[in-house]
Amino acid sequence: MNIQSSRWARSVAIAAIAFVMASCGILPQVGPNKRQIYSGSVQQSGDSFIVSVNDRVTRATSVQPALGFSDAFRNAGRVGSDTISAGDTLGLTIWENVDDGLLAGEATNQTVLEEVQVDGSGFIFVPYAGRIRASGNTPEAIRRIITSKLEEQTPDPQVQVRRLAGDGATVSLVGSVGAQGVYPIERPTRTLSAMLSAAGGIIIPAEVAQITVLRGAERSKVWFQDLYKYPEFDIALRGGDRILVEQDTRAFTALGATGAQSRVTFETQNLSAIEAIATVGGLQAASADPTGVFVMRNEPAEIANQVLGRTDLIGDQRMVYVLDLTEPNGMFIARDFSVRDQDTLYVTEAPFAQWSKVISALTGSLGVVANVDTASTAFGG
């Protein structure tokens, strides 16, 4: 009888210890539970605003990065396919209507000037015609200027001007394209989409590809898909443009009772809470609490004031958005709620998961006690 009483007392003591461990949070857990998160709210002298997500909150927080070219980029006209730029190379052929002309030798009346370089100031030099402005002119305009200069010295000169390969009207493409390099602006490649095609297209998923164009001190960025969705974004190129193709770098962090705990990059331009949960393998069926799905972020004051119905907040605010997937429209709310760059998606464990740990600790401890008692009895203890 004394032995049974001793065992019972030990069991009660172990059970009491296990429950104390559970209530004090000593047991292992994936992170804070709902009670611990709520204890950090402003209402309880914490520094975070905890907000239950509804349709109004969803509308107020549905802010995504707006990408698009500025008016200066969109309003630039296309460069003519035959417009000469500094750095271009021209080929000139001049015929003179005399046997012994200014340029031609005695045996011919034709003079060929190959690879006449347009200098940095936009000029070329033609013997007996002097310095001719080529930059900004077409080959036809240059032909007329040279003809006018020469006809004062030789009768009825005939001039032909050809544009050869040059490095004047060129753009550079770097990043995630098929073939990085420097490409000339020609008739087929006067627009951004055409130039990307000439470079072998993009080599990253179109859904997350971003195109940045740098023109002098200006820079502007657009989603690759918008080049085809909005024709005005297929801008005309200018000599010296630098085009960068890169993958969207936005990401969120998933923690808690989810299928995977990691930092996850966005796979689409817009990402909802439901899509974010699915991306990391969904909720853990054995432990996740569908009433405790939290999205944590630093919210700009403008949006935080709108969400909270206030006007006095200044600077970024710590916001904790709560999603309850068990509500009648909980899945729809989560489908419409937007996840943003640097968000933390955290799913709490269900209460029964903690109790399972308590029971496991209890039964494990009782097993150890039973083994000790058995051994003690066997040795006459």
Side-chain angles (χ1 to χ4, degrees), residues 39-70:
S39 68
S41 68
V42 171
Q43 293 84 346
Q44 298 190 33
S45 301
D47 60 357
S48 300
F49 291 99
I50 299 181
V51 179
S52 295
V53 179
N54 53 31
D55 290 330
R56 183 187 63 82
V57 173
T58 295
R59 289 191 296 270
T61 58
S62 60
V63 178
Q64 296 296 338
L67 302 183
F69 290 121
S70 65

Side-chain angles (χ1 to χ4, degrees), residues 52-123:
S52 295
V53 179
N54 53 31
D55 290 330
R56 183 187 63 82
V57 173
T58 295
R59 289 191 296 270
T61 58
S62 60
V63 178
Q64 296 296 338
L67 302 183
F69 290 121
S70 65
D71 291 340
F73 281 88
R74 294 200 308 267
N75 296 334
R78 294 188 182 185
V79 175
S81 60
D82 55 357
T83 301
I84 305 303
S85 301
D88 282 348
T89 304
L90 304 179
L92 307 180
T93 303
I94 301 172
W95 290 270
E96 298 181 66
N97 197 22
V98 292
D99 292 334
D100 188 12
L102 293 171
L103 301 172
E106 295 183 359
T108 178
N109 62 351
Q110 172 184 316
T111 302
V112 178
L113 302 177
E114 294 287 1
E115 297 187 0
V116 178
Q117 187 80 33
V118 181
D119 64 24
S121 300
F123 288 84

Side-chain angles (χ1 to χ4, degrees), residues 126-140:
V126 179
Y128 298 101
R131 279 169 56 83
I132 306 294
R133 171 165 287 282
S135 178
N137 285 323
T138 64
E140 173 60 22

